[in-house]
C-alpha cells in the first residue's frame, strides 16, 4: 500500500508514530514559513505541516501543491499545540510533521469546489460525477448505501435466503411500464427486453424449490421523465414459499427495524408498524401513502354538506362526489392572504376550490359558537349548528380552521392529501428525524381504466385475490380485494408486494379479466403457466426500492443524489453522453434502419 493508515483514521492514540499517508490536497493554508495542508482520503481529512527548517525538500515540493493534487507524505503524528485543536474534526487532536513528500498526480483546477458542499449546478455535478462523489455529502451517501445493502444481505443470509442473479437480457415482463428493448444480432428483427423487475423469474425460483430468494436487482422502466424516477432503479427483490401475507410483512418489519436501529440509531422509529387497510387509508388520509408522523385525519362530511344551502356542496353530492374535510389546529388566525395561498395550493393539486371555515375564539369546545365567530366565504350558506356539527366531526376547537374540499372522490382525495402534507410541514408536525412506517393492505385487485375501458391490475397480474372473492372474477372484478401490500414511510411508498397466484387455472382467469387473449397469454406468460403445472408451491414476496429507502433515511428529495451514476431527469447521462448515435456498421449488423421523426431529423442535421 502507498499508505500505512487512512488520513481520517488518525487520533491522539497515534501520537509518536511514523506514518505514510496518501490522498488529495483538500485545502492549503500558508502561515509565514509553515505550509498547512489538509490531506483527504475516503475516511476523512487530517492536517499535515511542512516546516522548511526541519524538512526543507518536502517544504519545497509542497510549495507547488494545489487543490485536488494526489500526494503522498511521510511524517510523525504529533499532538496539536495547545489551543490549536479542532473539536469539529475527528482528527482535530493531531497533525503530521512531514519529513518527506511526493506528488503522485497533479490535478487541473476542478470546475467546482470539491472541498465544500456548496450548491453547484446539477448538470455540472453529473458531468464531473467523479469529482462530485469526492465531496463529503455524496461520499457519506454512498457509504450509507453500502451499509444498508450489506445489512440487508447479512440479515437475509442469517434467515436462510439465497441471493440469486437473474438475467438482464430477457423477454418483456409486463409490470405496467414500457420496456427497454435490446435488438438481437443473431436473430434479426427480434428483441430482448430489459426486466422491469425479476417478477416472473423469482416466481419460477419458487417453483424450482428455492423457498427463500432475494436479489439486489436492477429494474428498467422506460417511463416518461418524473422528478423522482430514473430509467433504472434498484430493488431488494424478495420471494418466499409457503408463506402468508403476515409472514412477509413481519420479515420486512424486522429487517427495517434492525437496519435503522443499527445504521441510524438517532432516528425516531415507531414499532410495531401499523397495518392499515387501503379503504381505511383513503378514508382517513385521502391516499394509500399516508404520512403518519402527524394526525390531521380527514372526515367525510358529505351527509352534513348535502343538508346545507351551499350549492357547491349539494350539487357535488347530487353528482356522486364527496365533501371531505380536516382540521388545521390553531389556524383561525390565518390572514386572508394565507388562506388564498391555501386555496391556490388546493387548485394546483386538482381541486375545484377550497372552502375554509375559521372558528374565531379562545381555544375550547365549539358548543357556544356564534355566527360572528365564523369566518368563511361560505358563512352565509351555513347555519351555526351545521358548522358546529362539521367542526365536531373533524375534531375542531375554537381557534381552529376547517379545510373542506368538494368534488369527485379521486380528485378530492388527491388534493386533500397534498394539502394535509402541506399543513403537516407548515405546522412543523412532520418531524424530519422520525421514520414512521406502516403497511397498507387489502388493495383492490383491479382498477378500472377509463381511457382504455379495461380493467388494469392494481399491483400486477400475478397478485392473488382473497379466496372468498375469487367468485367475483367473472361477474364483478371491481369488488375483489387482493392479497397485496405496500410499505409506506413518511408519505413515501417504499415497497409493494403480494401473495401470488400459484395455479394455472386462477392465473388464466385473472389474465382474462385483464383482457389478454388466450394467444397473448400463451406467448407472454406461457413459461409461468407451464411451470405452475409442475407443483408450484404457494408463495409471495415484496420488492422494497433501495433508492427510495436511502432518500427517506437521509431526508433527501432528489433520487439522483443517492445513486452513484444517475441519469438526469430527462434520462440523459451527461458523463458518458448517453444515449448516443451508433456507427452505421453496428446498425447494419443488427439489421436496423433509423426512421427519425421530422423534428428530431432537423436537430440531428444541425449537430452533424
Ligand atoms: N415485482 C413487483 C414490483 O416491482 C414487486 C413484487 O410484487 O414483489 O413492483
Amino acid at each position: 500500500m502507498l499508505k500505512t493508515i487512512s488520513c481520517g483514521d488518525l487520533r491522539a492514540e497515534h501520537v509518536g508514530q511514523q506514518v505514510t499517508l496518501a490522498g488529495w490536497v483538500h485545502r492549503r493554508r500558508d502561515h509565514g514559513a509553515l505550509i498547512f495542508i489538509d490531506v483527504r482520503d475516503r475516511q476523512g481529512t487530517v492536517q499535515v505541516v511542512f516546516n522548511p527548517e526541519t524538512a526543507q525538500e518536502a517544504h519545497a515540493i509542497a510549495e507547488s501543491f494545489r487543490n485536488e493534487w494526489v500526494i503522498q507524505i511521510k511524517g510523525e503524528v504529533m499532538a496539536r499545540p495547545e489551543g490549536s485543536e479542532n473539536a469539529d474534526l475527528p482528527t482535530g487532536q493531531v497533525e503530521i510533521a512531514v519529513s518527506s513528500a511526493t506528488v503522485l498526480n497533479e490535478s487541473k483546477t476542478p470546475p467546482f469546489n470539491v472541498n465544500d458542499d456548496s450548491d453547484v449546478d446539477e448538470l455540472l455535478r453529473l458531468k464531473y460525477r467523479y469529482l462530485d462523489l469526492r465531496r463529503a455529502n455524496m461520499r457519506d451517501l454512498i457509504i450509507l448505501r453500502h451499509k444498508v445493502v450489506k445489512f440487508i444481505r447479512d440479515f437475509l443470509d442469517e434467515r436462510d435466503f439465497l441471493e440469486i442473479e437473474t438475467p438482464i437480457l430477457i423477454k418483456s415482463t409486463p409490470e405496467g411500464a414500457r420496456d427497454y428493448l435490446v435488438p438481437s444480432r443473431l436473430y434479426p428483427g427480434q428483441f430482448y427486453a430489459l426486466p422491469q423487475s425479476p417478477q416472473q423469474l423469482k416466481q419460477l425460483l419458487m417453483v424450482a424449490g428455492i423457498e427463500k430468494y432475494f436479489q439486489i436487482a436492477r429494474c428498467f422502466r422506460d417511463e416518461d421523465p418524473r422528478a423522482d424516477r430514473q430509467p433504472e432503479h434498484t430493488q431488494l427483490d424478495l420471494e418466499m414459499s409457503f408463506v402468508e401475507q403476515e409472514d412477509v410483512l413481519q420479515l420486512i418489519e424486522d429487517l427495517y427495524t434492525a437496519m435503522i436501529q443499527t445504521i441510524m440509531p438517532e432516528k425516531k422509529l415507531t414499532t410495531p408498524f401499523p397495518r392499515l387497510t387501503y379503504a381505511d387509508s383513503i378514508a382517513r388520509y385521502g391516499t394509500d401513502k399516508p404520512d403518519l408522523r402527524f394526525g390531521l385525519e380527514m372526515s367525510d362530511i358529505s351527509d352534513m354538506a348535502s343538508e346545507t344551502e351551499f350549492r357547491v356542496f349539494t350539487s357535488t353530492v347530487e353528482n356522486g362526489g364527496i365533501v371531505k374535510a380536516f382540521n388545521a389546529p390553531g389556524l383561525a388566525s390565518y390572514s386572508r392572504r394565507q388562506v388564498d395561498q391555501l386555496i391556490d395550493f388546493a387548485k394546483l393539486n386538482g381541486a375545484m376550490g377550497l372552502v375554509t371555515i375559521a372558528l374565531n375564539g379562545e381555544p375550547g369546545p365549539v358548543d357556544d359558537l356564534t355566527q360572528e365567530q365564523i369566518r368563511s366565504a361560505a358563512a352565509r350558506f351555513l347555519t351555526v349548528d351545521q358548522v358546529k356539527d362539521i367542526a365536531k366531526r373533524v375534531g375542531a376547537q375554537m381557534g381552529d380552521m376547517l379545510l373542506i374540499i368538494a368534488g369527485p372522490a379521486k380528485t378530492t382525495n388527491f388534493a386533500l392529501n397534498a394539502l394535509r402534507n402541506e399543513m403537516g410541514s407548515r405546522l412543523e408536525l412532520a418531524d424530519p428525524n422520525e421514520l414512521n412506517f406502516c403497511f397498507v393492505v387489502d388493495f383492490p385487485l383491479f382498477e378500472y381504466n377509463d381511457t382504455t375501458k379495461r380493467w388494469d391490475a392494481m399491483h400486477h397480474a400475478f397478485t392473488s385475490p382473497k379466496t372468498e372473492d375469487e367468485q367475483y372474477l367473472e361477474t364483478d372484478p371491481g369488488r375483489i380485494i387482493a392479497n397485496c401490500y405496500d410499505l409506506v414511510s413518511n408519505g413515501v411508498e417504499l415497497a409493494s408486494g403480494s401473495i401470488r397466484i400459484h395455479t394455472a387455472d386462477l392465473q388464466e382467469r385473472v389474465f382474462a379479466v385483464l383482457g389478454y387473449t388466450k394467444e397473448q397469454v400463451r406467448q407472454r406468460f406461457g413459461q409461468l403457466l407451464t411451470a405452475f403445472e409442475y407443483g408450484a408451491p404457494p408463495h409471495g414476496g415484496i420488492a422494497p426500492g433501495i433508492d427510495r429507502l436511502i432518500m427517506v433515511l437521509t431526508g433527501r428529495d432528489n433520487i439522483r443524489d443517492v445513486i452513484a451514476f444517475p441519469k438526469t431527469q430527462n434520462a440523459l447521462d451527461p458523463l458518458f453522453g448517453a444515449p448516443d448515435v451508433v456507427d452505421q456498421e453496428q446498425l447494419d449488423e443488427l439489421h436496423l434502419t433509423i426512421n427519425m421523426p421530422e423534428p428530431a431529423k432537423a436537430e440531428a442535421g444541425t449537430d452533424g
Side-chain angles (χ1 to χ4, degrees):
M1 287 291 288
L2 298 185
K3 53 182 178 175
T4 55
I5 186 167
S6 283
C7 301
D9 288 342
L10 286 159
R11 297 287 182 276
E13 72 199 66
H14 299 112
V15 168
Q17 290 185 11
Q18 292 293 330
V19 293
T20 306
L21 302 179
W24 287 262
V25 174
H26 186 65
R27 204 171 269 124
R28 157 191 184 136
R29 288 175 302 277
D30 292 15
H31 277 300
L34 298 179
I35 298 175
F36 291 85
I37 306 264
D38 292 339
V39 186
R40 183 191 70 235
D41 59 18
R42 198 181 81 201
Q43 303 303 109
T45 63
V46 70
Q47 172 167 297
V48 308
V49 190
F50 295 82
N51 186 339
E53 281 170 18
T54 53
Q56 198 193 1
E57 203 181 319
H59 184 271
I61 296 173
E63 294 272 13
S64 64
F65 288 175
R66 296 290 176 269
N67 282 358
E68 299 311 311
W69 283 30
V70 190
I71 60 169
Q72 183 190 43
I73 61 111
K74 293 186 200 308
E76 183 178 337
V77 185
M78 317 279 274
R80 287 204 196 183
E82 226 179 285
S84 66
E85 300 94 342
N86 182 350
D88 296 334
L89 202 65
T91 62
Q93 296 301 312
V94 298
E95 61 189 17
I96 315 297
V98 178
S99 51
S100 71
T102 317
V103 176
L104 298 177
N105 209 347
E106 298 183 5
S107 168
K108 285 185 173 177
T109 304
F112 49 83
N113 285 349
V114 172
N115 58 14
D116 62 34
D117 285 309
S118 56
D119 255 352
V120 176
D121 174 58
E122 197 184 20
L123 212 56
L124 196 64
R125 286 175 51 203
L126 292 179
K127 179 150 187 227
Y128 294 93
R129 191 59 155 183
Y130 44 89
L131 296 180
D132 191 35
L133 292 175
R134 284 186 196 167
R135 303 171 103 204
N137 264 340
M138 292 304 292
R139 176 204 57 204
D140 291 348
L141 283 170
I142 296 288
I143 293 173
L144 176 75
R145 189 173 171 129
H146 161 80
K147 285 190 184 157
V148 165
V149 171
K150 164 104 169 58
F151 190 93
I152 291 173
R153 288 204 157 102
D154 294 345
F155 183 95
L156 293 175
D157 175 66
E158 270 168 36
R159 283 158 188 77
D160 281 339
F161 281 79
L162 296 183
E163 181 170 6
I164 302 177
E165 287 169 77
T166 54
I168 294 296
L169 292 179
I170 186 180
K171 183 161 142 163
S172 180
T173 54
E175 294 259 346
R178 196 179 290 113
D179 287 318
Y180 275 101
L181 297 177
V182 181
S184 155
R185 180 179 58 83
L186 296 177
Y187 301 94
Q190 298 191 27
F191 294 81
Y192 300 97
L194 306 184
Q196 291 184 32
S197 90
Q199 183 62 37
Q200 290 183 65
L201 291 154
K202 66 176 170 176
Q203 292 193 240
L204 291 173
L205 285 172
M206 294 305 106
V207 183
I210 294 300
E211 294 197 31
K212 289 176 171 185
Y213 142 92
F214 84 98
Q215 176 181 197
I216 306 297
R218 202 68 69 79
C219 302
F220 305 86
R221 298 180 189 182
D222 188 2
E223 289 173 308
D224 288 333
R226 280 227 315 247
D228 61 345
R229 286 273 162 83
Q230 282 279 302
E232 47 187 305
H233 70 274
T234 309
Q235 287 181 345
L236 158 59
D237 196 46
L238 184 150
E239 198 76 8
M240 305 163 82
S241 293
F242 309 114
V243 286
E244 291 171 336
Q245 170 165 309
E246 192 47 37
D247 299 309
V248 181
L249 302 192
Q250 197 56 51
L251 175 86
I252 294 296
E253 177 171 335
D254 291 348
L255 167 62
Y256 277 57
T257 303
M259 176 203 303
I260 290 157
Q261 283 169 350
T262 308
I263 298 177
M264 300 198 109
E266 67 280 10
K267 288 279 177 196
K268 225 194 287 168
L269 186 69
T270 317
T271 51
F273 301 172
R275 277 76 165 149
L276 222 68
T277 67
Y278 173 82
D280 199 25
S281 181
I282 299 284
R284 288 160 64 189
Y285 306 102
T287 177
D288 55 7
K289 316 182 233 309
D291 189 337
L292 297 187
R293 285 175 297 177
F294 52 91
L296 304 185
E297 283 193 30
M298 300 166 189
S299 307
D300 192 315
I301 57 163
S302 305
D303 55 334
M304 296 172 166
S306 64
E307 304 281 297
T308 65
E309 300 286 300
F310 191 30
R311 279 292 299 153
V312 175
F313 286 176
T314 52
S315 69
T316 299
V317 179
E318 276 159 26
N319 291 324
I322 57 167
V323 184
K324 222 167 149 174
F326 69 93
N327 178 40
L331 287 201
S333 56
Y334 251 32
S335 69
R336 182 71 238 170
R337 213 173 60 89
Q338 285 171 306
V339 169
D340 283 344
Q341 275 175 1
L342 292 186
I343 295 175
D344 288 343
F345 182 87
K347 286 184 179 164
L348 256 176
N349 284 284
M352 293 289 284
L354 170 71
V355 178
T356 62
I357 304 178
L359 308 171
N360 278 324
E362 289 304 309
V366 293
D367 297 317
D368 300 326
L369 179 75
T370 63
Q371 188 73 50
E372 295 68 47
Q373 290 174 310
I374 301 174
R375 192 159 50 84
S376 170
R380 64 203 151 101
F381 305 114
L382 305 169
T383 68
V384 176
D385 281 338
Q386 284 167 341
V387 174
K388 264 193 225 172
D389 286 345
I390 297 174
K392 283 185 182 163
R393 183 166 300 171
V394 302
Q397 288 205 348
M398 297 304 296
D400 294 351
M401 181 162 69
L402 311 176
L403 302 176
I404 310 172
I405 294 181
K410 213 170 176 167
T411 51
T412 301
N413 277 320
F414 184 89
L416 271 174
N417 170 48
L419 195 60
R420 176 177 173 274
N421 285 337
E422 171 73 10
M423 297 320 290
S425 76
R426 278 190 188 217
L427 298 170
E428 293 181 8
L429 300 171
D431 178 352
N433 210 28
E434 181 179 352
L435 288 169
N436 200 318
F437 288 91
C438 69
F439 289 109
V440 178
V441 301
D442 293 355
F443 282 79
L445 185 61
F446 301 107
E447 187 177 30
Y448 194 68
N449 184 326
D450 288 317
T451 322
T452 59
K453 307 268 177 258
R454 275 167 48 164
W455 290 103
D456 289 339
M458 190 116 166
H459 180 42
H460 53 50
F462 315 106
T463 297
S464 63
K466 297 259 178 228
T467 314
E468 63 275 21
D469 286 354
E470 278 175 27
Q471 53 178 315
Y472 304 116
L473 272 169
E474 287 74 24
T475 51
D476 192 2
R479 67 177 287 178
I480 301 176
I481 301 294
N483 292 310
C484 177
Y485 33 82
D486 275 4
L487 175 67
V488 174
S489 174
N490 294 5
V492 179
E493 179 194 314
L494 285 184
S496 290
S498 57
I499 299 300
R500 326 296 183 187
I501 298 167
H502 66 279
T503 62
D505 166 56
L506 184 57
Q507 186 67 72
E508 276 169 351
R509 287 170 67 196
V510 167
F511 283 141
V513 178
L514 295 172
Y516 289 109
T517 63
K518 283 226 152 46
E519 173 59 17
Q520 285 170 326
V521 169
R522 208 169 44 80
Q523 206 244 341
R524 293 190 198 182
F525 306 106
Q527 62 285 347
L528 191 69
L529 289 174
T530 307
F532 281 176
E533 288 167 353
Y534 289 92
H539 59 284
I542 192 164
I546 301 282
D547 312 300
R548 297 250 186 113
L549 170 64
I550 308 292
M551 287 170 74
V552 167
L553 288 180
T554 56
R556 293 261 160 175
D557 51 16
N558 181 348
I559 190 170
R560 295 175 296 283
D561 280 352
V562 301
I563 299 174
F565 296 102
K567 309 279 185 290
T568 65
Q569 220 186 101
N570 296 319
L572 296 175
D573 171 352
L575 177 54
F576 283 81
D580 201 359
V581 293
V582 296
D583 295 338
Q584 186 58 44
E585 214 173 294
Q586 290 173 289
L587 290 176
D588 292 345
E589 272 178 348
L590 295 167
H591 304 280
L592 290 181
T593 50
I594 304 291
N595 185 8
M596 286 241 236
E598 287 308 320
K601 248 184 215 167
E603 256 172 50
T606 51
D607 283 356

